[in-house]
Amino acid sequence: KAAAGKIATKHKFVIDYSKPAGDQVFDGADFEKFLHDRIKVAGKAGQLGDNVKIARDSSNNKITVTSNIPLSKRYLKYLTKKFLKKNTLRDWIRVVATTKDSYTLKFFNISYVLFGLLFFVYLFHFYSQH
Protein backbone atom coordinates (compact mmCIF):
# COMPACT_ATOMS: atom_id res chain seq x y z
CA LYS A 1 0.00 0.00 0.00
CA ALA A 2 1.13 3.52 -0.70
CA ALA A 3 1.76 5.77 2.24
CA ALA A 4 -0.40 8.87 2.66
CA GLY A 5 0.65 11.56 0.24
CA LYS A 6 2.61 9.16 -1.98
CA ILE A 7 1.53 8.07 -5.42
CA ALA A 8 1.00 4.33 -5.83
CA THR A 9 3.37 2.75 -8.33
CA LYS A 10 1.69 2.05 -11.62
CA HIS A 11 3.14 -0.35 -14.15
CA LYS A 12 2.02 -0.31 -17.78
CA PHE A 13 3.24 -2.93 -20.24
CA VAL A 14 2.37 -3.35 -23.91
CA ILE A 15 2.55 -6.58 -25.91
CA ASP A 16 2.40 -6.04 -29.68
CA TYR A 17 1.25 -9.09 -31.61
CA SER A 18 0.53 -7.36 -34.93
CA LYS A 19 2.89 -9.45 -37.12
CA PRO A 20 1.51 -12.90 -36.19
CA ALA A 21 -2.06 -11.55 -36.14
CA GLY A 22 -1.56 -10.11 -39.62
CA ASP A 23 -0.82 -13.62 -40.87
CA GLN A 24 -3.86 -15.02 -39.01
CA VAL A 25 -1.78 -17.35 -36.84
CA PHE A 26 -2.38 -15.54 -33.52
CA ASP A 27 -5.70 -14.86 -31.79
CA GLY A 28 -5.60 -11.75 -29.62
CA ALA A 29 -8.87 -12.55 -27.84
CA ASP A 30 -7.56 -15.96 -26.74
CA PHE A 31 -4.32 -14.37 -25.57
CA GLU A 32 -6.22 -11.75 -23.56
CA LYS A 33 -8.31 -14.47 -21.89
CA PHE A 34 -5.18 -16.53 -21.21
CA LEU A 35 -3.50 -13.58 -19.48
CA HIS A 36 -6.65 -12.83 -17.48
CA ASP A 37 -6.88 -16.43 -16.30
CA ARG A 38 -3.16 -16.89 -15.56
CA ILE A 39 -1.86 -13.65 -14.01
CA LYS A 40 -1.54 -14.21 -10.28
CA VAL A 41 -2.49 -11.55 -7.73
CA ALA A 42 -1.72 -12.40 -4.11
CA GLY A 43 -0.96 -15.99 -5.14
CA LYS A 44 -4.31 -16.56 -6.86
CA ALA A 45 -4.69 -16.81 -10.62
CA GLY A 46 -7.61 -15.19 -12.40
CA GLN A 47 -8.60 -12.85 -9.56
CA LEU A 48 -7.27 -9.56 -10.86
CA GLY A 49 -9.76 -7.25 -9.18
CA ASP A 50 -8.88 -3.56 -9.49
CA ASN A 51 -5.16 -4.23 -9.17
CA VAL A 52 -4.49 -5.39 -12.74
CA LYS A 53 -6.28 -4.28 -15.90
CA ILE A 54 -5.91 -5.98 -19.27
CA ALA A 55 -7.03 -4.07 -22.36
CA ARG A 56 -6.89 -5.32 -25.94
CA ASP A 57 -6.65 -2.84 -28.79
CA SER A 58 -7.83 -4.93 -31.73
CA SER A 59 -7.20 -2.14 -34.27
CA ASN A 60 -3.46 -2.04 -33.45
CA ASN A 61 -3.19 -5.69 -32.34
CA LYS A 62 -1.79 -4.82 -28.93
CA ILE A 63 -2.55 -5.81 -25.36
CA THR A 64 -1.92 -3.36 -22.54
CA VAL A 65 -1.49 -4.63 -18.99
CA THR A 66 -1.76 -1.96 -16.30
CA SER A 67 -1.02 -2.80 -12.69
CA ASN A 68 -1.26 -0.91 -9.41
CA ILE A 69 0.76 -3.59 -7.65
CA PRO A 70 4.30 -4.76 -8.44
CA LEU A 71 4.20 -6.74 -11.68
CA SER A 72 7.28 -7.98 -13.50
CA LYS A 73 7.74 -7.45 -17.22
CA ARG A 74 9.60 -10.76 -17.21
CA TYR A 75 6.49 -12.47 -15.78
CA LEU A 76 4.48 -11.25 -18.78
CA LYS A 77 7.16 -12.61 -21.11
CA TYR A 78 6.98 -15.95 -19.29
CA LEU A 79 3.20 -16.08 -19.69
CA THR A 80 3.41 -15.04 -23.35
CA LYS A 81 5.89 -17.84 -24.06
CA LYS A 82 3.64 -20.26 -22.19
CA PHE A 83 0.71 -19.22 -24.41
CA LEU A 84 2.80 -19.68 -27.55
CA LYS A 85 3.87 -23.15 -26.40
CA LYS A 86 0.29 -24.12 -25.60
CA ASN A 87 -0.78 -23.13 -29.12
CA THR A 88 2.27 -24.78 -30.79
CA LEU A 89 3.57 -21.41 -31.98
CA ARG A 90 6.73 -21.36 -29.85
CA ASP A 91 8.86 -22.80 -32.68
CA TRP A 92 7.85 -19.99 -35.04
CA ILE A 93 7.36 -16.88 -32.91
CA ARG A 94 9.67 -15.22 -30.40
CA VAL A 95 9.09 -12.54 -27.78
CA VAL A 96 11.39 -9.53 -28.19
CA ALA A 97 11.72 -6.55 -25.85
CA THR A 98 11.38 -3.41 -27.95
CA THR A 99 11.31 -0.75 -25.22
CA LYS A 100 11.60 -0.65 -21.45
CA ASP A 101 7.92 -1.47 -21.04
CA SER A 102 6.92 -3.35 -24.19
CA TYR A 103 7.34 -6.64 -26.02
CA THR A 104 6.77 -7.47 -29.67
CA LEU A 105 6.01 -10.90 -31.07
CA LYS A 106 8.13 -11.61 -34.13
CA PHE A 107 8.62 -14.56 -36.42
CA PHE A 108 11.96 -16.32 -36.30
CA ASN A 109 14.08 -15.61 -39.36
CA ILE A 110 13.78 -18.98 -41.07
CA SER A 111 16.64 -18.34 -43.51
CA TYR A 112 19.15 -18.15 -40.63
CA VAL A 113 17.73 -21.33 -39.14
CA LEU A 114 18.02 -23.16 -42.46
CA PHE A 115 21.55 -21.85 -42.98
CA GLY A 116 22.55 -23.14 -39.54
CA LEU A 117 20.99 -26.51 -40.26
CA LEU A 118 22.78 -26.81 -43.61
CA PHE A 119 26.07 -25.81 -41.99
CA PHE A 120 25.57 -28.47 -39.30
CA VAL A 121 24.86 -31.13 -41.96
CA TYR A 122 27.97 -30.05 -43.89
CA LEU A 123 30.17 -30.31 -40.78
CA PHE A 124 28.70 -33.69 -39.87
CA HIS A 125 29.32 -34.97 -43.38
CA PHE A 126 32.85 -33.54 -43.48
CA TYR A 127 33.90 -35.02 -40.12
CA SER A 128 32.23 -38.38 -40.69
CA GLN A 129 34.44 -38.97 -43.74
CA HIS A 130 37.71 -38.14 -41.92
Side-chain angles (χ1 to χ4, degrees), residues 17-90:
Y17 57 91
S18 55
K19 289 184 175 131
D23 290 343
Q24 276 83 39
V25 296
F26 191 88
D27 186 6
D30 281 350
F31 183 47
E32 180 184 19
K33 182 178 180 340
F34 180 84
L35 288 177
H36 188 277
D37 293 344
R38 296 293 177 99
I39 290 178
K40 288 185 178 182
V41 175
K44 295 184 180 179
Q47 298 180 6
L48 305 181
D50 293 333
N51 295 320
V52 179
K53 301 285 184 203
I54 301 172
R56 180 171 51 100
D57 182 4
S58 56
S59 62
N60 291 333
N61 291 321
K62 293 182 180 181
I63 284 187
T64 304
V65 180
T66 310
S67 172
N68 295 327
I69 59 172
L71 183 69
S72 166
K73 180 182 167 190
R74 184 84 179 115
Y75 180 55
L76 289 178
K77 182 176 185 178
Y78 163 77
L79 289 174
T80 303
K81 289 167 83 172
K82 198 169 179 78
F83 177 80
L84 293 173
K85 183 73 172 174
K86 177 183 169 213
N87 291 287
T88 61
L89 295 170
R90 185 73 185 96

Side-chain angles (χ1 to χ4, degrees), residues 6-26:
K6 293 210 174 191
I7 299 171
T9 56
K10 195 166 200 162
H11 305 279
K12 181 179 176 183
F13 302 106
V14 177
I15 302 171
D16 180 358
Y17 57 91
S18 55
K19 289 184 175 131
D23 290 343
Q24 276 83 39
V25 296
F26 191 88

